Amino acid sequence: MVIGGLQKFSLVDYPGKTCAIIFTRGCNFRCRYCHNPELVIPEQYTLEIPLKVVFDFLETRRGKLDAVEITGGEPTQHADLIGVISQIKDMGFLVKLDSNGSRPEVLKTAIDQKLVDYLAMDVKAPLKDYVKIMGWQVPAEKLQQSISLIMNSGIDYEFRTTIVKSLTSKDDLREIAKTIKGAKRYFLQKFIPAKLVDSSCNNEVSYSDRELQELAQELMRYVVFCGVR
Ligand code: SF4
């Protein structure tokens, strides 16, 4: 696994738990609004953090932090992900895994081996419309498999959508909510301009706070909870 970032403490990334965050480098997606170009675009990669440095740090946090979140980039791209998660679990941490859902077979292994305690999957658009977000179409059946696996996993999970107004219509959000019908948690994430994979996206906006709150209320007709971040 190639690690491009380590955040040593967070109170907000694992619901109700303190955690450290490992950022894996490399992603098979190119979402225009992605905030982590240094983890996604090879020319922008920054220094790699050796796994040993990460594990040495985690050793000092045993009993002090509840959990470790593994995010990216796309963690499921790394062949040794399952082994790394096993080591983290053996140290006594809860594990949250973030994924774009493109590799359901890896999620299945993690779930079957009881290696994850919380799964978070981005649902970026109606499953047949990913081309709008990143310029090509991901196999919709893979995304659907990941959604089904997560919803039937018996562990805690959330789905989330980052919302750029020109890329994600209100009808798109209704369709996504229908796709994850019955889900425990769905978050609408307000797009905020920053250093992005596609710098032309910096001129884009999201919906207003009020519109997002109204949408979240409406979408609770499909999911158990819908919130705004
Ligand atoms: S938002 Fe996530 S899935 Fe999309 S390019 Fe960035 S890291 Fe990859």
Side-chain angles (χ1 to χ4, degrees), residues 39-219:
L39 296 171
V40 170
I41 300 175
E43 295 74 28
Q44 297 187 34
Y45 284 172
T46 48
L47 280 183
E48 177 181 343
I49 302 173
L51 256 180
K52 181 177 184 320
V53 171
V54 174
F55 276 106
D56 285 350
F57 164 71
L58 291 178
E59 197 58 54
T60 69
R61 306 327 290 157
R62 275 191 204 238
K64 296 178 180 141
L65 281 178
D66 300 317
V68 176
E69 173 178 335
I70 304 177
T71 187
E74 174 53 30
T76 63
Q77 288 212 126
H78 296 270
D80 58 349
L81 173 69
I82 295 298
V84 169
I85 298 178
S86 291
Q87 274 181 266
I88 295 171
K89 288 292 286 177
D90 286 346
M91 295 174 83
F93 295 105
L94 298 168
V95 171
K96 174 174 181 270
L97 178 63
D98 291 0
S99 176
N100 61 25
S102 59
R103 299 201 62 201
E105 58 281 7
V106 179
L107 298 181
K108 184 171 187 323
T109 302
I111 292 165
D112 288 351
Q113 295 186 15
K114 302 193 185 318
L115 293 175
V116 280
D117 303 283
Y118 197 106
L119 281 161
M121 177 179 159
D122 295 343
V123 184
K124 297 178 181 294
L127 301 191
K128 291 193 166 49
D129 287 341
Y130 270 49
V131 67
K132 280 197 295 194
I133 305 296
M134 53 195 209
W136 75 85
Q137 184 55 44
V138 182
E141 52 294 354
K142 291 272 186 193
L143 303 169
Q144 182 61 67
Q145 276 174 35
S146 290
I147 289 169
S148 301
L149 271 167
I150 290 169
M151 290 183 65
N152 294 315
S153 65
I155 64 173
D156 238 351
Y157 66 85
E158 68 182 48
F159 297 105
R160 64 260 181 114
T161 303
T162 298
I163 301 171
V164 174
K165 194 170 180 177
S166 68
L167 300 176
T168 314
S169 70
K170 292 181 181 178
D171 276 345
D172 286 342
L173 293 165
R174 292 178 185 110
E175 190 172 334
I176 293 168
K178 285 180 197 167
T179 300
I180 58 167
K181 192 170 183 186
K184 280 188 200 172
R185 293 191 194 98
Y186 178 40
F187 289 100
L188 309 180
Q189 300 188 146
K190 186 173 184 171
F191 164 75
I192 297 169
K195 193 167 63 132
L196 304 172
V197 160
D198 178 353
S199 55
S200 70
C201 222
N202 256 316
N203 299 321
E204 301 285 352
V205 293
S206 194
Y207 295 100
S208 68
D209 290 343
R210 186 173 163 186
E211 283 176 299
L212 288 172
Q213 290 294 350
E214 285 172 358
L215 269 164
Q217 279 299 316
E218 179 191 333
L219 298 182

Side-chain angles (χ1 to χ4, degrees), residues 27 29-31 33-36 40 72-74 100 122 124 197:
C27 186
F29 285 12
R30 290 291 183 274
C31 308
Y33 51 67
C34 176
H35 279 193
N36 292 318
V40 170
E74 174 53 30
N100 61 25
D122 295 343
K124 297 178 181 294
V197 160

